[in-house]
Amino acid sequence: MTRAELIHQIKEKRSFLCVGLDTDLTKIPEHLLDDEDPIYSFNKAIIDATADLCVAYKPNIAFYECYGLKGWQSLQKTWAALPKDCFSIADAKRGDIGNTSGRYAMAFFDESNSGLGFDSITIAPYMGKDSVTPFLEFKDKWAIVLALTSNEGSLDFQNFENKEGLQLFEQVIDKVNTWGSIENLMYVVGATRGEGFIKIREHAPEHFLLVPGVGAQGGSLEDVCKYGMNKDCGLLVNSTRGIIYASKGRDFAERAREEALKLQKEMEIELLKAGIIS
C-alpha cells in the first residue's frame, strides 16, 4: 500500500484506527477452542466485525510463532483474510543484518515464497543501516522503526543524551530518515509519551507514526492527536486488548465492534478538528 492510498483510506473511513491481533488462546472465548483453528476463527470474526471502522491490522507475530507450524498457518490464513483496503502490519520487531534481514523481508513481504504479503513490518534498528535497508528494497512496502516506546524498560536506553543534548531516540530518527523516505518509513511511538510527540515531530514532521498504548494501556487519543497529528493525519493508532477482548462470550465480535466504533467516532472528531476531513 502506498502513502497516498493509506491517506485515502483514512479520509474515506474517517478513521486512523489500527486493530491489534495479539490472539492469546487463554483469552479468547472458550467455545472457539473446539474449532479446528481457534486463532483464525477468532481473528476472522474480529476482522469481519471491524473492517469498515479501521484502516490497519497488526498481528503480533509472537502470538503465532509460539505455536510452531500451526501458528504460522493461522497467521497465513489471517493475513489472507485481511481486507485489501486495510494496511497490514507484521509486528515482528526484526533487527538482524545483511542477508538475514533480506530473508526476514522475504518471509513477511514475498507472498510467492512464504504465503505472506504484509504491507509493513516493525523493525528494531539497534544494529544500524543494514538491519533496516533490506526491508526498503521491496516496492510499496514499509519499515516501521522503533523510536520512542512506552514500556518501562524504554528508559534504559532511549533517553540517553549525547554531548549535543540529543536523546537517543532523536538520533535514531535523524539517522534512519537518511535511509528511506516518508513513502516507506514509519516510526513506533508509544501513546503514553504524550508531549514526547512534540520532539518526534521536530525530527519526523511528515512521517506516519504507529502509536500503540491507547485504551487499555492508558494512552490518551486526544493528547496523541494534539501533539502528533500532521496535515495528512500521520497517525495509525493501535488498540488491541480494549477491542478484541471486550467480551469472552459468544458476543465477542459484536462487543469488539462496539469498542472499535467508539474509537472511530473519537478519531472522526479529531480529523474534523484538524480539517483533514469535512
Side-chain angles (χ1 to χ4, degrees), residues 70-233:
K70 289 182 67 175
W72 277 101
Q73 291 170 339
S74 299
L75 180 63
Q76 287 175 324
K77 289 192 289 184
T78 296
W79 173 78
L82 296 178
K84 298 312 174 191
D85 65 350
C86 286
F87 188 72
S88 57
I89 302 168
D91 190 4
K93 299 181 180 70
R94 296 303 192 247
D96 214 318
I97 57 173
N99 287 338
T100 309
S101 274
R103 293 302 183 270
Y104 278 138
M106 287 175 61
F108 291 100
F109 290 163
D110 188 346
E111 183 184 358
S112 64
N113 274 300
S114 67
L116 295 172
F118 281 92
D119 293 310
S120 63
I121 184 171
T122 54
I123 305 290
Y126 190 82
M127 293 180 75
K129 182 177 182 178
D130 41 350
S131 67
V132 177
T133 53
F135 298 93
L136 303 178
E137 295 172 3
F138 286 74
K139 180 177 171 57
D140 296 333
K141 303 294 187 179
W142 298 72
I144 307 181
V145 178
L146 299 175
L148 184 61
T149 59
S150 55
N151 59 300
E152 183 179 349
S154 67
L155 299 176
D156 292 340
F157 300 120
Q158 293 172 19
N159 294 100
F160 282 0
E161 292 187 6
N162 66 9
K163 60 185 179 181
E164 284 81 32
L166 286 177
Q167 295 179 80
L168 181 58
F169 75 87
E170 298 175 273
Q171 299 171 62
V172 166
I173 294 172
D174 287 345
K175 178 60 74 173
V176 174
N177 281 345
T178 68
W179 304 337
S181 72
I182 62 172
E183 301 288 341
N184 61 4
L185 283 172
M186 299 187 189
Y187 294 100
V188 177
V189 184
T192 56
R193 291 298 190 156
E195 294 186 17
F197 281 88
I198 295 174
K199 281 198 172 183
I200 294 289
R201 282 306 188 198
E202 289 175 1
H203 298 272
E206 296 184 75
H207 288 77
F208 265 85
L209 307 178
L210 173 61
V211 184
V214 166
Q217 295 182 47
S220 162
L221 179 64
E222 187 175 5
D223 282 350
V224 168
C225 295
K226 178 180 179 180
Y227 299 114
M229 188 174 278
N230 63 21
K231 63 181 176 60
D232 295 318
C233 179

Side-chain angles (χ1 to χ4, degrees), residues 225-252:
C225 295
K226 178 180 179 180
Y227 299 114
M229 188 174 278
N230 63 21
K231 63 181 176 60
D232 295 318
C233 179
L235 299 170
L236 293 175
V237 172
N238 182 77
S239 178
T240 300
R241 286 173 288 170
I243 291 176
I244 69 173
Y245 298 133
S247 169
K248 286 196 69 171
R250 292 183 179 272
D251 65 342
F252 74 96

